[in-house]
Amino acid sequence: MKSALITGITGQDGSYLAELLLDKGYKVYGLVRRKSKLDFNNAQHLKNKVEFIFGDMTDLASLIRAMKISQADEVYNLAAQSFVATSWESPLSTAEIDALGVTNILEAIRTVKPEARFYQASTSEMFGMVQEIPQKETTPFYPRSPYGVAKLYGHWITKNYRESYGMYACSGILFNHESERRGEEFVTRKITKAVARIKYGLQDTLELGNLDARRDWGHSKDYVEAMWLMLQQEEPDDYVISTGETHQVREFVTLAFKVAGMELDWHGENENEYAILQGTDKVVVKVNPKFYRPAEVELLIGDCKKAETKLGWKRKVSYEQLVKLMVENDLKLVESSMK
């Protein structure tokens, strides 16, 4: 039986990855931070299937302990301060977790079990002000947020340990991936939850920032399969995981309302843009400049041919299916909360 250690197991990706590994017969360990009130979040249903270990990405000693307990054959580092907006408010803690934390977990592996295979969750935000369209593994990086910069350090230190110590260490440069388990502070889930609340009369309007920003959106469940595939290869390497499609935030909003049976009419532009429900004068979406980033990432679209060719990876959930799944899930959650 293989064993795996997942940091960030209580998040969206961590919970889906744990389910995948359990289905494949792994013994799964999950790293969780000790809090005054323990919160398993998305891993609540895994409490009796996963062995949880207390630890922190900023505390090397706790990571060494986690490696000694788990003796993991595979380590998946999904722990991060992953909200881009927060990275401007807390740039130092973002760097400590997303950058130095990667070094800590690599050192823990090198100290306890250097033959273990390591996966680092890199991000398309490292491309930032894109230097090439679409973005692939060889595209130069130009991050536009403290989050992107910190993640770029994590990406390069992973490559450095691979080349310096001969460790099996690889990074998945994952483009935006969402799901029904996405945190409510992320724009896609903010949209789908607001759509459900507006549908049931619990909320009047949805306020957003840059509606023209374009993203490459896939489903988290597909992307964690790519993580696993990366650690099953003969040689470690880095891979872009994406859909190869890009959609505006405005498109996501329009489709989300449509799934819930509401059509939108758009008016104005830039900071004065808004949308009304078709056939009414009710404004349900409007732009609020406070949600703009200090440095915007306008366009992300990935080229995942390498992953498709070398890993045999293919996404299963389309963009339209993703939006539908998220909206329908939030409609159910809101409806059940009203009973």
Side-chain angles (χ1 to χ4, degrees), residues 118-249:
F118 175 73
Y119 170 84
Q120 166 60 15
S122 290
T123 170
S124 58
E125 287 286 334
M126 300 187 307
F127 293 119
M129 186 182 288
V130 298
Q131 305 297 293
E132 181 180 27
I133 299 172
Q135 297 88 55
K136 50 184 181 286
E137 291 82 4
T138 55
T139 301
F141 298 115
Y142 196 138
R144 298 270 283 169
S145 66
Y147 169 74
V149 172
K151 277 290 191 175
L152 185 53
Y153 176 98
H155 180 79
W156 279 111
I157 201 67
T158 299
K159 187 185 288 281
N160 188 261
Y161 269 63
R162 178 170 75 218
E163 295 176 353
S164 300
Y165 299 117
M167 293 173 65
Y168 193 110
C170 58
S171 294
I173 307 172
L174 271 55
F175 280 64
N176 293 64
H177 48 290
E178 319 296 321
S179 77
E180 306 89 306
R181 299 178 186 177
R182 192 49 139 163
E184 293 176 8
E185 69 273 21
F186 291 87
V187 67
T188 51
R189 186 69 195 290
K190 178 181 178 180
I191 291 166
T192 60
K193 184 181 179 184
V195 166
R197 288 176 57 80
I198 289 169
K199 174 79 173 179
Y200 284 105
L202 301 177
Q203 184 172 328
D204 294 324
T205 58
L206 164 64
E207 294 188 355
L208 296 167
N210 183 9
L211 295 173
D212 293 317
R214 304 184 71 93
R215 294 293 183 267
D216 183 326
W217 279 301
H219 197 290
S220 172
K221 208 167 187 178
D222 288 341
Y223 285 38
V224 299
E225 183 181 12
M227 299 175 190
W228 176 77
L229 285 169
M230 287 180 214
L231 298 196
Q232 312 313 309
Q233 306 308 303
E234 284 190 21
E235 298 294 331
D237 205 349
D238 304 325
Y239 298 87
V240 162
I241 305 298
S242 65
T243 71
E245 299 176 12
T246 187
H247 299 274
Q248 290 179 322
V249 173

